[in-house]
């Protein structure tokens, strides 16, 4: 049963990737601007344009190019950048690590902060604490992550001098310092998500607390805390894990923006410069890679959820 | 519908959002100073009664610029929700109501697209369309269609076999009439909060895109664009970044409190 589910999920994943890659490829074929004008300038002769089109393979039919592109992409070859004189995969290599590191730190922060805080908020019965958490959460959720980033740069960077904004070092050169620098952008991404996850966890704990098995647990002499940790948590955490998986996609998107705030040379900055330069092989590659990350994370979350909640395995 | 809500959260949110909307509306016809007037002698003035939010690097009044900026941001957000909402409702309504193969195929594509964050989708569209105010609306609008379509589809699939729909059908009502006159009004409890969340996401996305320099460009001013300008003068004029950021936060807070309150009111 489980095996069949996994196979089904994998097939769905492949289908999703085919759709995404097709759209990513199609989108950049129907654009009016031709990359040759960007490379050769607007005063190029017709012959040199035609020669370059042939060199870049732009003169062949659409589906031929799509299949060629996708088979090469599967082997890790995304073609050459129009602007930089290197292959796309070379260009991406170091930058992908940076973005993934940032995403991982942000995700870790969300899990480490929100689950204990959510539990603490749920186990405290004072209505004032409850209200305080609600108001604070609502406020934090309303702050755009990049604005939190700007505030952190202003406060921790320029006023308190805890870090030097704009002096990011690649993790390949100095892993420790790189991670320390990434803590601030990660916090900027994480804070609104922590508030959302806490809200989610609290409401699902609230829903579980009224159920019969909780009353049974109490009647057997369990204290409130023991019931919460031993019985309720496992049920309440299922929707939260699903929610966290969904946010993983948004964290990747968030890090694309935050990289600009903190001047981190990751995949997001590359995406932006490539969009401005109309360097489409790079944009396509980044879109497909980000989609793959998102799809994989969703898949892992599904598997994790089935581990946590046996009922899901039957569906 | 809006006035019947008696929820505290909804009321506070409505007040905050209304204040900011009022600023935007007034900003369309009148601002305390000309938002583009450059006064060399009044650079980087701290907030005072003359300049509520202070002045920027060109001596322009930040409060006036903010009023115009909210207008642009509002316009983009409303346009986005309009495009995404109308197309999303139509697609979601028909697929949810009729079901079948088309529904299956569209929802597969939809799943693929919703798995992908809105803002990244919009970035791709902007790369295709080019920059500027109207392209931002179009890009965000199209990027928002899948999420609306999904919400609407779920509701329509839930309603299509309910008794009131069956009896409407027995009375001879056509499909279009059932979809738009009978089912659509019944989905408002889910649809309106979804539209509010969509509005907030649009504000957030516009601000992010303009901040990244790929959204609204020069003669236009939007809140995100102002933040981008403000970041360069963070140390000399911290009020610039703080005031503009605060307005964005209040706008999002107001609308999300309204959405929250509405959700509670329906239960």
């Amino acid at each position: 049963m489980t095996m069949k589910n996994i196979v089904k999920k994998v097939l769905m994943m492949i289908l999703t990737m085919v759709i995404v890659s097709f759209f990513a490829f199609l989108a950049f074929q129907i654009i009016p601007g031709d990359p040759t004008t960007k490379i050769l300038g607007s005063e190029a002769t017709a012959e040199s344009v035609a020669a370059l089109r042939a060199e870049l393979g732009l003169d062949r039919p659409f589906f031929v190019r799509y299949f060629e592109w996708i088979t090469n992409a599967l082997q890790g070859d995304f073609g050459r950048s129009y602007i930089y004189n290197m292959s796309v995969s070379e260009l991406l290599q170091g930058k992908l690590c940076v973005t993934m590191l940032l995403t991982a730190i942000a995700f870790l922060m969300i899990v480490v902060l929100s689950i204990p805080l959510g539990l603490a908020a749920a186990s405290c019965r004072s209505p004032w604490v409850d209200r305080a958490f609600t108001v604070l959460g609502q406020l934090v959720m309303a702050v755009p992550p990049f604005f939190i980033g700007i505030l952190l740069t202003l406060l921790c960077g320029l006023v308190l001098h805890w870090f030097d904004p704009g002096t990011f070092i690649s993790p390949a050169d100095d892993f420790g310092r790189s991670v320390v620098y990434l803590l601030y952008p990660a916090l900027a991404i994480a804070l609104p998500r922590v508030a959302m996850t806490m809200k989610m966890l609290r409401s699902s704990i609230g829903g579980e607390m009224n159920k019969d098995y909780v009353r049974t647990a109490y009647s057997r002499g369990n204290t409130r805390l023991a019931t919460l940790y031993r019985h309720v948590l496992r049920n309440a955490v299922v929707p939260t894990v699903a929610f966290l998986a969904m946010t993983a996609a948004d964290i990747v998107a968030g890090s694309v923006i935050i990289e600009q705030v903190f001047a981190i040379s990751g995949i997001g900055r590359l995406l932006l410069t490539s969009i401005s330069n109309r360097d489409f092989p790079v944009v396509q590659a980044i879109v497909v890679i980000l989609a793959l990350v998102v799809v994989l994370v969703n898949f892992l979350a599904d598997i994790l959820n089935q581990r946590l909640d046996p009922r899901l395995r039957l569906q | 519908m809006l006035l019947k809500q008696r929820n505290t959260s909804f009321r506070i949110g409505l007040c905050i959002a209304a204040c900011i909307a009022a600023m935007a509306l007034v900003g369309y016809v009148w601002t305390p100073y000309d938002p583009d007037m450059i006064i060399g002698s009044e650079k980087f003035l701290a907030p005072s009664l003359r300049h509520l939010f202070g002045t920027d690097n060109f001596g322009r009044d930040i409060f006036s610029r903010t009023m115009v900026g909210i207008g642009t941001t509002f316009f983009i957000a409303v346009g986005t929700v309009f495009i995404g909402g109308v197309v999303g409702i139509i697609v979601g309504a028909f697929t949810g109501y009729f079901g079948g193969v088309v529904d299956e195929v569209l929802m597969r594509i939809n799943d693929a697209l919703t798995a992908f964050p809105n803002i990244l989708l919009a970035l791709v569209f902007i790369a295709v369309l080019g920059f500027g105010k109207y392209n931002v609306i179009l890009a965000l609008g199209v990027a928002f269609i899948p999420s609306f379509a999904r919400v609407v589809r779920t509701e329509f699939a839930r309603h299509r076999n309910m008794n009131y729909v069956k009896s409407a059908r027995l009375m001879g009502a056509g499909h279009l009439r059932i979809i738009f006159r009978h089912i659509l009004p019944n989905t408002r409890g889910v649809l309106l909060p979804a539209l509010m969340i969509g509005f907030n996401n649009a504000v957030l996305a516009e601000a992010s895109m303009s901040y990244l320099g790929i959204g609204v460009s020069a003669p236009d001013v939007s809140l995100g664009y102002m933040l981008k300008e403000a970041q360069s003068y963070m140390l000399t004029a911290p009020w610039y970044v703080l005031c503009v950021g605060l307005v964005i936060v209040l706008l999002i807070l107001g609308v999300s409190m309204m959405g929250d309150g509405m959700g509670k009111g329906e239960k």
Side-chain angles (χ1 to χ4, degrees):
Chain A
M1 196 65 200
T2 332
M3 202 57 221
K4 198 175 150 195
N5 261 340
I6 289 176
V7 170
K8 210 170 130 193
K9 284 262 153 59
V10 170
L11 285 179
M12 283 300 185
M13 243 166 69
I14 294 169
L15 187 64
T16 308
M17 284 313 298
V18 169
I19 294 173
V20 168
S21 65
F22 182 77
F23 278 120
F25 193 75
L26 179 74
F28 296 104
Q29 303 301 318
I30 52 177
I31 309 171
D34 196 307
T36 49
T37 18
K38 183 82 198 178
I39 300 171
L40 296 173
S42 51
E43 283 150 27
T45 58
E47 292 90 56
S48 63
V49 168
L52 186 67
R53 284 184 68 89
E55 191 195 319
L56 295 173
L58 291 171
D59 53 347
R60 283 168 304 142
F62 172 75
F63 280 99
V64 175
R65 277 181 291 145
Y66 174 67
F67 275 105
E68 203 174 80
W69 177 67
I70 201 89
T71 39
N72 285 337
L74 284 175
Q75 294 156 11
D77 174 17
F78 286 96
R80 290 186 78 77
S81 156
Y82 290 159
I83 306 295
Y84 306 98
N85 191 23
M86 54 201 317
S87 74
V88 175
S89 35
E90 264 177 303
L91 202 57
L92 288 178
Q93 233 164 27
K95 311 211 154 152
L96 195 59
C97 300
V98 174
T99 304
M100 287 304 126
L101 186 63
L102 176 58
T103 311
I105 297 176
F107 191 76
L108 219 63
M109 257 183 195
I110 294 174
V111 174
V112 167
L113 289 177
S114 63
I115 292 183
L117 276 174
L119 278 172
S123 43
C124 182
R125 302 187 80 171
S126 148
W128 284 105
V129 174
D130 196 61
R131 219 160 287 166
F133 268 115
T134 311
V135 172
L136 198 67
Q138 191 112 40
L139 199 66
V140 173
M141 271 188 271
V143 189
F146 72 93
F147 185 57
I148 299 183
I150 294 176
L151 291 181
L152 283 176
T153 323
L154 182 62
L155 187 69
C156 303
L158 299 176
V159 177
L160 297 172
H161 296 290
W162 287 351
F163 75 106
D164 267 333
T167 58
F168 175 69
I169 307 156
S170 154
D173 296 337
D174 186 342
F175 190 76
R177 282 181 64 189
S178 178
V179 168
V180 170
Y181 187 89
L182 286 178
L183 285 180
Y184 297 94
L187 187 63
I189 302 170
L191 270 181
R193 302 275 153 197
V194 169
M196 285 178 209
T197 319
M198 267 183 71
K199 187 181 171 191
M200 180 85 199
L201 188 61
R202 279 175 61 208
S203 73
S204 64
I205 288 179
E208 290 292 325
M209 279 314 232
N210 297 324
K211 291 198 173 156
D212 287 345
Y213 75 89
V214 175
R215 201 181 49 203
T216 314
Y218 279 138
S219 71
R220 289 207 313 263
N222 281 306
T223 58
R224 191 182 152 82
L225 278 183
T227 317
L228 192 65
Y229 284 98
R230 275 194 222 128
H231 301 272
V232 175
L233 183 59
R234 191 169 170 150
N235 287 310
V237 94
V238 170
T240 311
V241 170
F243 175 76
L244 279 173
M246 267 165 55
T247 57
D250 290 327
I251 299 170
V252 177
S255 55
V256 167
I257 297 158
I258 287 291
E259 278 169 17
Q260 196 72 11
V261 182
F262 287 88
I264 298 164
S265 62
I267 212 169
R269 289 199 107 187
L270 184 65
L271 180 64
L272 287 176
T273 46
S274 308
I275 288 176
S276 310
N277 290 335
R278 305 183 83 77
D279 192 355
F280 299 135
V282 183
V283 180
Q284 280 168 350
I286 294 177
V287 167
V288 171
I289 290 174
L290 289 182
L292 185 66
V293 172
V294 169
V295 169
L296 280 178
V297 168
N298 283 336
F299 176 69
L300 287 180
D302 269 344
I303 304 250
L304 184 60
N305 255 342
Q306 292 191 354
R307 288 249 131 256
L308 286 171
D309 189 348
R311 281 169 301 181
L312 290 175
R313 277 177 229 162
L314 292 171
Q315 282 163 12
Chain B
M1 173 69 206
L2 287 179
L3 294 174
K4 271 190 254 164
Q5 301 284 341
R6 289 168 184 275
N7 189 297
T8 328
S9 162
F10 179 85
R11 283 180 173 175
I12 298 174
L14 186 64
C15 289
I16 298 174
C19 286
I20 294 182
M23 262 177 86
L25 283 179
V26 174
Y28 279 122
V29 286
W30 176 84
T31 49
Y33 293 85
D34 179 354
D36 296 319
M37 190 173 57
I38 294 172
I39 304 174
S41 56
E42 300 203 339
K43 275 183 203 168
F44 295 133
L45 293 183
S48 63
L49 279 179
R50 268 188 65 212
H51 297 284
L52 275 179
F53 286 180
T55 59
D56 69 359
N57 52 319
F58 290 119
R60 296 175 296 195
D61 181 46
I62 295 175
F63 188 73
S64 305
R65 286 178 72 71
T66 310
M67 283 171 78
V68 178
I70 301 170
T72 315
T73 302
F74 239 87
F75 178 68
I76 292 178
V78 170
T80 301
V81 172
F82 183 76
I83 294 178
V86 168
V87 182
I89 285 172
I90 293 174
V91 173
F94 280 92
T95 51
Y97 181 76
F98 290 111
V101 184
V102 180
D103 176 42
E104 275 294 314
V105 173
L106 277 181
M107 281 306 125
R108 262 311 55 229
I109 298 178
N110 208 341
D111 279 349
L113 290 177
T114 34
F116 213 60
N118 278 340
I119 178 99
L120 285 184
L121 221 51
L123 282 186
V124 174
F125 285 125
I126 273 290
V128 174
L129 296 167
F131 307 156
K133 189 159 74 173
Y134 295 100
N135 284 342
V136 173
I137 297 180
L138 196 59
L140 283 177
V142 173
F144 277 46
I145 293 172
S147 52
F148 284 125
R150 180 184 255 189
V151 171
V152 175
R153 192 203 87 102
T154 317
E155 278 298 288
F156 269 76
R158 200 165 65 86
H159 280 267
R160 80 173 159 212
N161 289 324
M162 284 193 178
N163 282 333
Y164 76 92
V165 176
K166 280 181 187 160
S167 47
R169 212 171 285 151
L170 284 178
M171 277 157 61
H175 289 310
L176 281 179
R177 190 180 169 80
I178 292 179
I179 289 176
F180 292 108
R181 288 301 303 250
H182 294 271
I183 304 185
L184 191 59
N186 275 318
T187 60
R188 65 174 186 277
V190 178
L191 195 57
L192 284 178
L195 288 176
M196 300 251 167
I197 294 170
F199 180 86
N200 270 347
N201 287 340
V203 169
L204 198 60
E206 183 281 318
S208 314
M209 282 164 79
S210 302
Y211 172 78
L212 294 176
I214 54 168
V216 168
S217 50
D220 286 319
V221 195
S222 80
L223 294 177
Y225 184 76
M226 290 178 78
L227 272 185
K228 174 186 155 74
E229 286 187 334
Q231 203 193 1
S232 321
Y233 309 105
M234 212 148 55
L235 214 52
T236 31
W239 54 85
Y240 193 176
V241 101
L242 291 177
C243 290
V244 176
L246 192 68
V247 170
I248 298 184
V249 172
L250 283 178
L251 178 57
I252 295 179
L253 183 69
V255 177
S256 77
M257 284 177 82
M258 278 169 73
D260 258 27
M262 240 182 213
K264 274 176 203 147
E266 287 288 328
K267 269 171 201 165

